[in-house]
Structures are given as structure tokens and as C-alpha cells.
Amino acid sequence: MQVIGTHTFVPTDNVVTIGAFTLGENDDTIWVEITQDQVTGPWPWSYGILGFRSAFGYELGTVKAFSKPEGVIQRLGVGRPPLERSGVITFQPRSFNLAWIRQGNPWTLTFAAESGVTAGTGVGVVSNSFVDAANGNGLPLTRITFP
């Protein structure tokens, strides 16, 4: 994975641009690892909204994204390649987190990403979002038709 950026959030943050990212040719998915750079205190950090924004908007959708000191991988994708491969990774902290930050608790996250292909093409292909935890590869699905 390629490190995109690190950001320490402040109470006035809204949608933060973490850094630039370009998908590989014909790639339709971005996997983003979010690592929390400090241990969790007696409070639980909530989620933020993670996205990839190109000139055409959030073509790969947005996801509710959590963070942990050991890192959490999130997937951005809608089953087809974006019209524009270059854009920025964004993160919007939720108000629950900003309240903790206002009380003097820093929240620093590091973002790393890579792109790949998860959508199939062709007649009878079933696209999936099931991923093998050991290697991150998509798992095949079997279609069963009952009479």
C-alpha cells in the first residue's frame, strides 16, 4: 500500500482532503487502510466518512470508516471503474469525534491505499465483495439454480 497522508483532526474540520491518488488502468476499487496513530483512551472513537473524489464526484461511493491503532482496511467501489482515475482521498470526521477533539484529545490518522479490480465482466459473471482475509483477493461465488 502507498501512504496517502497523515492528518491530525481539529474541531473545525469538515471534509478533509487527505491526499492525491490515481487508480491503475481499468481498476474499479480502492482499498484504504486507516491507522489510528494513538491508543484509544477510555472513550470510543466513532467513525468518519471515507471517499475518493474525482472531477466527476464520488464515483466509487463513500463508506462509514472506523480506525484502530492496528489499522483497518476499508473498500471503496461500486462495481465499475470511475470515469476519472485521478482524484483525492477524503475523510469527514463525525461530530462525536470532534467533541472529543474539542476537549483536548488529539485524533491522528494515517491513510494508505492501493487499487485493483473486483468487478467481473461477461455473461453470467457475479460481482462480489467477499474477500479472502489471508491475501485480500476476491473469493469466487457459485450460482446455484434450484428447479
Side-chain angles (χ1 to χ4, degrees), residues 3-137:
V3 174
I4 304 302
T6 298
H7 186 79
T8 300
F9 293 91
V10 297
T12 57
D13 279 337
N14 188 13
V15 178
V16 176
T17 297
I18 302 302
F21 186 78
T22 300
L23 284 86
E25 192 169 343
N26 298 319
D27 287 355
D28 64 4
T29 302
I30 301 173
W31 292 273
V32 180
E33 181 176 30
I34 303 174
T35 304
Q36 185 174 295
D37 293 350
Q38 69 279 337
V39 296
T40 301
W43 59 89
W45 288 105
S46 185
Y47 64 91
I49 304 299
L50 176 70
F52 168 77
R53 186 179 65 227
S54 75
F56 294 97
Y58 287 94
E59 296 184 83
L60 299 178
T62 59
V63 295
K64 183 190 289 190
F66 292 88
S67 67
K68 293 191 178 294
E70 58 272 16
V72 179
I73 296 178
Q74 312 289 331
R75 184 177 69 89
L76 293 167
V78 294
R80 67 172 185 81
L83 296 172
E84 175 65 48
R85 293 186 304 125
S86 295
V88 293
I89 301 294
T90 64
F91 190 81
Q92 181 180 18
R94 308 312 292 159
S95 60
F96 182 83
N97 294 324
L98 296 176
W100 285 116
I101 293 167
R102 269 192 285 289
Q103 293 180 20
N105 302 293
W107 195 33
T108 301
L109 302 178
T110 297
F111 298 79
E114 69 179 56
S115 67
V117 177
T118 57
T121 59
V123 176
V125 171
V126 178
S127 295
N128 72 76
S129 61
F130 295 102
V131 177
D132 185 336
N135 62 18
N137 291 334

